[in-house]
Amino acid sequence: MALLNILHYPDPRLHKVAAPVTTFDAALQKQVDDMFETMHEAKGIGLAATQVNYHYRLLVIDVSEDKAEPLVVINPEFLKKDGETVYEEGCLSVPGVYDKVTRAERVTLRAQNAKGEFFELEADGLLAICLQHEVDHLDGKVFVEYLSEMKQNRIKTRMKKREKQNM
């Protein structure tokens, strides 16, 4: 397994729309394993392939306290979204930034696992929030784009400044 480089906002590659996964093989399983390792190392609960510059419709999630409930979601499609909730979100691609975002309270999702088998998942709470957040990444959207233009500009400035300091 290997740690992958996480892209940071406002990197334009974060806005690329991911293509469907069509091949379910050992290379895909390695990508899944590397993404879980990267997510855990970064202390995250979700990671979309777009965030590691792999532009296919793949995401990994584990919202459990003990990181014992890994979920692989490939080619996700929301079948239903219900209710509304506001949750303070953060993102591995926007380190140190947290803000409130309005999302659906409950979701029903159809997707494939790493073997290509289809499944449906009903989720609420943190899992529903995380699924919506990560699918947004696959669609080329970062959570800060739900915020006001003024907040977005401040975050862009802060991220660019941090990037220069890390060079």
Side-chain angles (χ1 to χ4, degrees), residues 59 61 63 69 71 73 77-85 103-111 119-133 135:
L59 59 95
I61 291 177
V63 296
E69 298 175 28
L71 177 62
V73 180
E77 172 190 355
F78 287 110
L79 302 176
K80 193 174 179 184
K81 291 183 177 183
D82 288 316
E84 189 175 282
T85 188
R103 301 260 188 202
E105 190 173 22
R106 292 170 303 283
V107 298
T108 303
L109 182 91
R110 183 172 193 262
F119 67 93
E120 282 190 19
L121 174 68
E122 291 182 18
D124 60 10
L126 182 57
L127 180 56
I129 299 295
C130 194
L131 285 165
Q132 292 170 84
H133 177 110
V135 170

Side-chain angles (χ1 to χ4, degrees), residues 1-4 6 28-49 51-52 58-64 66-74 92 112-114 119 127 130-131 134:
M1 292 200 299
L3 288 177
L4 305 170
I6 297 173
L28 178 66
Q29 185 59 56
K30 181 178 180 342
Q31 183 70 26
V32 167
D33 294 342
D34 290 348
M35 286 176 62
F36 271 117
E37 182 179 5
T38 302
M39 179 187 78
H40 288 134
E41 180 69 23
K43 308 283 190 264
I45 59 170
L47 185 67
Q51 293 176 270
V52 292
L58 159 66
L59 59 95
V60 298
I61 291 177
D62 193 339
V63 296
S64 66
D66 59 358
K67 301 298 175 215
E69 298 175 28
L71 177 62
V72 177
V73 180
I74 299 173
L92 296 177
Q112 290 169 278
N113 64 20
F119 67 93
L127 180 56
C130 194
L131 285 165
E134 300 307 333

